[in-house]
Amino acid sequence: MQIAEKKTIAQYLLDAERERREVVRVTVDYPELNVENAYAVQEELVRMKCEENLSIVGLKIGLTSRAKMEQMGVEEPIYGYLFNNMLLENYGELSFGTCIHPKVEAEIAFILDKDIEGPGVTGAQVLAATEYVVPALEIIDSRYENFRFTLPDVIADNASASRVVFGNSLTRPDRIDLDLVGMVLNINGKAREMAAGAAVLGHPAHAIAALANMLGRKGETLKTGQIILAGAVTEAVRIDIGDIVQAKMDGLGDVGFTVVD
Ligand code: 0L1
Ligand code: MG
């Protein structure tokens, strides 16, 4: 893929995000887009955001549970970057008007106190490099029409990243069996989705290891201080104005937000 094409596609996706409108998926016009050059587009998009003085606060790995893979019709995890302007206050408000067609996912987040460099990273190494785990809600908002895309499309679109909310309670990773953590995603006080941590590649730390190993192939590392989302344990749920969203995670605490106009 030519540099000019990468820039054109990255700008197309950034404009869609800024103007809050859904667009035709990239592979309609660029059927040759594959996973490798989709990550090159994503890198360009990340570079453009950094040029606008946004800063990277962490990363996300997505499509790490069977439920999500089946929902989106894909077979492998993907990653994307989290920026400072994506952070929502815990139990704060998400303005629906600033989104296109948002969905929410309950996830476990890892706060690192050591760098993690792949390849060959294991879940045990991830836990040893983790200062705290926290409950999180990720708001995804694909820039594509009807949330429909191929794997290269969603990679180019920074893995649909839009917002993220972190809970206030910090738990040391050696104090909890993350695979056994039960969680309930409540919408307007009703349990909408429920699962256990093991839904994410058998153990959420395996997802962070998979991410470190994917980045390691490009010579990139997960860095001290970054917050990493391990991926949704359940399907993503559409949200609308007035919705009160809360995830409760056994031993980890809770996290929430309300959707306003
Ligand atoms: O788990 C995820 O965060 C996946 C995001 C990309 C796929 C989607 O938009 O559902
Ligand atoms: Mg996610």
Side-chain angles (χ1 to χ4, degrees), residues 60-64 68 105-107 138-140 159 229-232:
K60 59 171 281 184
I61 181 162
L63 307 180
T64 47
K68 278 290 301 185
E105 303 178 325
E107 310 205 7
E138 184 187 14
I139 294 127
I140 52 171
L229 290 178

Side-chain angles (χ1 to χ4, degrees), residues 170-217:
L170 303 167
T171 303
R172 296 280 305 163
D174 54 354
R175 293 294 178 91
I176 193 154
D177 285 330
L178 289 176
D179 51 343
L180 299 184
V181 170
M183 56 186 86
V184 181
L185 177 62
N186 290 319
I187 309 283
N188 300 322
K190 286 208 179 102
R192 177 60 194 272
E193 297 286 337
M194 55 218 79
V200 172
L201 298 180
H203 190 296
H206 294 163
I208 310 301
L211 173 59
N213 292 329
M214 287 165 96
L215 290 174
R217 291 203 286 270

Side-chain angles (χ1 to χ4, degrees), residues 99-146:
C99 303
I100 303 170
H101 42 203
K103 296 183 185 182
V104 68
E105 303 178 325
E107 310 205 7
I108 294 174
F110 289 62
I111 303 175
L112 304 183
D113 63 357
K114 292 186 189 66
D115 292 358
I116 311 179
E117 187 170 355
V121 174
T122 63
Q125 286 171 312
V126 168
L127 292 173
T130 300
E131 187 172 22
Y132 296 113
V133 285
V134 293
L137 287 166
E138 184 187 14
I139 294 127
I140 52 171
D141 198 21
S142 171
R143 271 49 74 171
Y144 299 121
E145 286 175 343
N146 303 317

